[in-house]
Amino acid sequence: MQTDTRAKLQKIKKVSINLRVICKVLLALVTLLGLCCVVCVAFGVGGINYDNVIFQTVGLPLGRRLILGAVTALAFGVLFKCIYHLHLLFGNYSRGEIFTRDSVGQLRQFGIACLLWGVVNFLWISSLALSARPAKTFHGHADSLVIGIVIIVIAWFMDMAVDLREENELTI
């Protein structure tokens, strides 16, 4: 391997290690914030601020609060999944495994998780807004859906590139 290529690979490894640490911190924060939000929604204490609108469940019956708590847990579970697949992807990159099947798979899973986040986030905020008394309005965001589709397409291109590389290695 050329020294220039080796230096670039070392730089990718170093940056990936740092990004993996950031992902670990984000995983811890999402877990903690998710637990706090589930407790707030299920027990009717505090409120959830979304787009400068505070949703509170203090006056709702227990059954509805528990359902909202489950939807809240689902939303944070999907967000956790997004960051977890990034964590695994950066782990592959930190080992120098950039154009591999596993890296492509993690990138694809991240794209799918982004799509799921868009759907579950809309469901979560809709359920909170409809449960509020009086019902509140909010602005939906479709950016994670578009990002998810783009990432899945990029993963498809990378999968084809891995196929080409493997085919090229076999013919030499």
Side-chain angles (χ1 to χ4, degrees):
M1 194 183 300
Q2 297 174 359
T3 56
D4 189 39
T5 306
R6 199 172 291 162
K8 288 178 183 177
L9 185 59
Q10 284 303 107
K11 194 178 290 186
I12 289 171
K13 287 180 178 182
K14 186 188 299 185
V15 170
S16 296
I17 289 170
N18 291 334
L19 290 173
R20 193 162 192 225
V21 169
I22 291 170
C23 285
K24 285 180 193 278
V25 170
L26 287 174
L27 287 171
L29 287 174
V30 165
T31 301
L32 189 64
L33 185 62
L35 287 173
C36 290
C37 285
V38 168
V39 168
C40 282
V41 169
F43 290 110
V45 296
I48 295 176
N49 185 353
Y50 180 85
D51 231 9
N52 292 326
V53 177
I54 297 180
F55 298 98
Q56 296 180 338
T57 59
V58 68
L60 296 176
L62 178 62
R64 186 171 289 171
R65 287 194 322 254
L66 291 177
I67 291 170
L68 289 174
V71 173
T72 301
L74 178 66
F76 278 94
V78 170
L79 185 57
F80 186 91
K81 178 178 172 53
C82 284
I83 298 168
Y84 179 70
H85 287 294
L86 272 182
H87 177 265
L88 293 178
L89 180 65
F90 289 132
N92 288 346
Y93 289 174
S94 69
R95 291 186 299 277
E97 302 169 4
I98 297 168
F99 291 105
T100 63
R101 293 263 177 234
D102 190 42
S103 293
V104 170
Q106 293 305 326
L107 187 62
R108 183 180 301 112
Q109 288 298 316
F110 175 67
I112 291 169
C114 285
L115 284 173
L116 283 173
W117 169 248
V119 171
V120 171
N121 185 37
F122 181 77
L123 174 71
W124 176 48
I125 297 303
S126 297
S127 64
L128 286 173
L130 292 173
S131 295
R133 296 292 175 242
K136 296 184 179 185
T137 60
F138 67 97
H139 298 334
H141 303 284
D143 51 353
S144 63
L145 296 173
V146 174
I147 290 170
I149 291 169
V150 169
I151 289 173
I152 291 171
V153 169
I154 291 171
W156 179 74
F157 281 122
M158 283 184 65
D159 194 31
M160 295 297 133
V162 169
D163 283 342
L164 290 172
R165 189 193 79 201
E166 288 174 354
E167 188 176 306
N168 191 24
E169 288 175 353
L170 291 174
T171 57
I172 290 179

